[in-house]
Amino acid sequence: MPLSLPTEFRVLVTGGAGFIGSAVVRRLLHESDAEVFNLDKIGYASDLASIGDHPRHHLLKVDLASAEETDAAVRQADPDLVMHLAAESHVDRSIDGPGLFIESNILGTFNLLQSVRRHFEQLSENRRDRFRFHHISTDEVFGSLGSQGRFSEATAYDPRSPYSASKAASDHLVNAWHHTFGLPVVLTNCSNNYGPWQFPEKLIPVVILKALAGESIPLYGDGLNVRDWLYVEDHVDALLLAATSGQIGDHYCVGGAGDHGSPSERSNRDVVETICSILDRIKPQDVPYASLIKRVSDRPGHDRRYAIDSSKISRELGWKPKHSFEEGLKATVEWYLHNLDWCRKVLEKAGYEGQRIGITDQSSVSGS
Ligand code: NAD
Ligand code: TYD
């Protein structure tokens, strides 16, 4: 799908050195002629290997927590479109150190909105008409579902972790800048992403790496928490559609797909066992990988179930996920198997050795 963007188009992507942001940057570089400005503080989860050198890629190493640096970066980028993905993104880290989430996700979004508003107000009429600020958020702002129902654009906010509370706050700021200052915004709330180049601290890459290393695979609590898995490239399709064709002021929910259009909801136990059986087929060991699965104490405040109703973005913008969870997961396992050196390098750079994080004194111990 070549992107049809106006000529001399300038896009500012924040968080473009992270997992999803780098996939957005790659797509913009490969499928459009846009100049791409990548604002990122280059934190522990950042890596630019997936982007490489490109004449239209401009890195702006900036922390959004600094209003001055953010302002200078927005002026330098002079964007027609802002796609705001920069955020601290790991729930477990938000339990150990919530302050950074407040600083990056709330203060950072505030600083960006202020700079972008100043930029928007001085644009020529022509450029102002086509300008958009696209805020990328999460379904976790809606809280935790029981066994029935799905999140949609009409669901009330009910965040329950420091991470999701900070993202909810940023969504509210973006809406306020739209209603009060007339900033033309679009918001998307998506489910759990997976795919190549994800920093190995989230469930799927953690399981793959632990299994390959012959280490125990940590399954939090009873393993029956449910997530709705979205392949990262399908998410990028949705983001670019929302950014370029979404209605100003609207929200769009984005979730994944299973085989034959079935939902992409899976319990963590199901996901972990499926990864183990893929590995049993493509990299067999003496004993099945599933023998490494170990129930460990639960995450404090662990949301039980997320599921997304994506019908609005499908109906209004024509978005459809192209990868079923089964295909996407197999491709992801194979990618990690072939990129173990990259995993070692980024883990070492981040000083993270795969140890359990995000437990408090109140965590219930249910291990067996
Ligand atoms: P990531 O952690 O892989 O990348 C985030 C990037 O943002 C990093 O490169 C980091 O350095 C940068 N960043 C963080 N704070 C910053 C700051 N103060 N200034 C500048 N840069 C900063 O995260 P991701 O998985 O790529 O997520 C991207 C966005 O999508 C986030 O806003 C996240 O909340 C949202 N999201 C992610 C998922 C998911 O499953 N990964 C699901 C729903 C929503
Ligand atoms: P995670 O990938 O951290 O995403 P999120 O918390 O944003 O949904 O976790 C996905 C699910 O997997 C969540 O229910 C917690 C669980 N989990 C484990 O069981 N073991 C692990 O090692 C990790 C990282 C997560």
Side-chain angles (χ1 to χ4, degrees), residues 89-92 140 163 192 201-204 206-207 218-220 225-227 229 268 299 302-303 306:
S89 69
H90 189 30
V91 174
D92 290 336
E140 303 192 24
Y163 163 66
N192 288 61
E201 64 180 351
K202 309 261 170 82
L203 179 68
I204 288 177
V206 163
V207 172
L219 190 57
Y220 296 177
N225 301 66
V226 170
R227 298 293 183 261
W229 293 97
N268 294 336
R299 168 187 284 171
H302 198 175
D303 288 339
Y306 304 144

Side-chain angles (χ1 to χ4, degrees), residues 94 114 158 209 216 224 231 255 279 289 318 339:
S94 83
Q114 286 290 71
D158 183 22
L209 294 193
S216 66
L224 297 180
Y231 193 62
L279 284 172
Y289 286 96
N339 288 276

Side-chain angles (χ1 to χ4, degrees), residues 253-269:
C253 284
V254 190
D259 260 348
H260 314 296
S262 60
S264 191
E265 281 180 53
R266 298 285 183 281
S267 72
N268 294 336
R269 193 164 74 192

Side-chain angles (χ1 to χ4, degrees), residues 273-294:
E273 286 174 356
T274 308
I275 294 171
C276 288
S277 63
I278 294 171
L279 284 172
D280 285 337
R281 278 201 304 280
I282 62 179
K283 184 120 179 100
Q285 305 277 18
D286 295 343
V287 287
Y289 286 96
S291 63
L292 296 169
I293 300 172
K294 184 170 188 297

Side-chain angles (χ1 to χ4, degrees), residues 160-171:
R160 300 151 73 107
S161 73
Y163 163 66
S164 55
S166 69
K167 289 296 290 186
S170 69
D171 292 15

